[in-house]
């Protein structure tokens, strides 16, 4: 890539290293909307055909998602209200990464597990990292498996969190994913990844 | 549930049918921000402890995601720029459900496959449906497997889509998910679900 062109380039496995003909050039950006959970970023872009247009996306801090097992192999789950879909959601505990966490996501995973469920983990290992919906958001989910989780801590919830803690058999959870009875894609991906590659 | 309380209740597998103590009551809502891809919905809610607060989420139309196979078992993928994460993304074709599609998502899946890739499917079947990030958005992904896909159609892209069509071996794609080389969670979930339950 020629120095000083200012073009953004791809950083994925598909980036061959040369100028990427699919890349959009970001001319400038602004925060167009703010709320407690996220911002909306609006960017002026130049498309590969030269057209200029605006593109909006949701920007939020990265998250950790914990796949927590008790010593006897049960999975610890939370049930919480999801206002975006107006129902109670059953799924893995998760939480936002704070600026001070960036160097140690495993510590973040331990903290969020304890804050949301009251369980403490003996060991925490990274499973995988994905962008769940990169057409609309820069959200990133870092999955961690937590082994040997025991209910020795105490829940410490954010002001608008009301959470019920429960446990389940992992095989039952996998069957719920298979049978379309678990609509939470964040949890479904963790179940499927762990079932395929985690053990 | 007592008639006339106006409480919203859960509709998930976790809903026992009685008043749901985790439910938030929606007092009123408004569209707080609009852009071509989505809206931001802001709702005034009453939490289970009686507190009133605002909650914002991204609202967009539901999507179909296609897991397309050629007659010789290759997977058809697209590479496209993702401005939210500033890179080229390799993944399954997908597209929004229009109001007129709601009764027949399989037809939507066929149309989006052809518009994005130029491939036509012989058979299309529903795999699973998830909410990829229901903490911030009401987005819904309906996954379909498309068998016998042949490049007989023509691409018909939206104004800001620039897409490269490619194919891959499914086993290689599964290995990329395992090895954290495919950050697109929408695609990773489809790969994992199909590998576990699709065949």
């Amino acid at each position: 890539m020629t120095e000083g062109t200012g073009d953004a380039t791809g950083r994925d496995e598909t980036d061959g290293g040369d100028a990427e003909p699919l890349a959009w050039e970001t001319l400038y950006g602004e925060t167009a909307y703010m709320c407690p959970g996220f911002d909306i970023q609006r960017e002026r872009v130049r498309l590969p055909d030269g057209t200029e247009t605006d593109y909006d996306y949701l920007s939020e801090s990265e998250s950790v998602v914990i796949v927590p097992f008790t010593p006897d192999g049960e999975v610890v789950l939370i049930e919480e209200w999801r206002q975006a879909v107006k129902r109670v959601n059953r799924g893995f505990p998760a939480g936002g990464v704070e600026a001070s966490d960036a160097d140690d996501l495993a510590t973040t995973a331990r903290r969020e597990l304890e804050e949301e469920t009251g369980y403490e983990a003996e060991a925490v290992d990274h499973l995988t990292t994905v962008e769940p919906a990169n057409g609309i958001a820069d959200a990133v989910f870092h999955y961690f498996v937590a082994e040997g989780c025991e209910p020795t801590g105490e829940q410490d919830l954010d002001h608008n969190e009301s959470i019920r803690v429960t446990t389940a058999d992992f095989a039952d959870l996998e069957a719920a994913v298979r049978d379309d009875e678990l609509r939470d894609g964040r949890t479904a991906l963790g179940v499927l990844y762990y079932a395929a590659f985690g053990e």
Side-chain angles (χ1 to χ4, degrees), chain A residues 19 36 74 77 80-81 182 188:
Chain A
E74 293 271 292
L77 299 173
E80 64 183 325
W81 184 256
L182 198 139

Side-chain angles (χ1 to χ4, degrees), chain A residues 32-134:
Chain A
Y33 185 79
M34 295 174 76
C35 67
F38 55 80
D39 295 337
I40 299 299
Q41 186 73 5
R42 180 195 292 155
E43 290 173 351
R44 188 71 180 167
V45 297
R46 184 176 293 130
L47 306 181
D49 69 0
T51 310
E52 283 188 23
T53 188
D54 291 323
Y55 193 85
D56 293 72
Y57 61 90
L58 183 155
S59 183
E60 65 157 5
S61 58
E62 301 190 350
S63 303
V64 292
V65 183
I66 304 102
V67 183
F69 287 92
T70 66
D72 56 1
E74 293 271 292
V75 190
V76 183
L77 299 173
I78 60 171
E79 294 173 351
E80 64 183 325
W81 184 256
R82 288 306 209 181
Q83 181 66 13
V85 292
K86 306 285 189 296
R87 65 173 183 80
V88 171
N89 190 72
R90 186 167 68 123
F92 291 132
V97 177
E98 294 161 16
S100 56
D101 293 330
D103 292 334
D104 188 0
L105 293 171
T107 302
T108 308
R110 285 178 182 277
R111 185 194 67 220
E112 290 296 329
L113 173 67
E114 185 172 355
E115 286 182 2
E116 289 207 332
T117 69
Y119 280 70
E120 282 182 7
E122 189 177 281
V124 167
D125 281 303
H126 181 252
L127 275 177
T128 190
T129 293
V130 303
E131 298 152 356
N134 62 24

Side-chain angles (χ1 to χ4, degrees), chain A residues 151-170:
Chain A
T152 51
E154 283 187 21
Q155 266 183 301
D156 177 19
L157 301 177
D158 290 341
H159 81 288
N160 67 351
E161 286 184 312
S162 37
I163 287 179
R164 194 160 51 209
V165 179
T166 181
T167 60
D169 191 76
F170 186 79

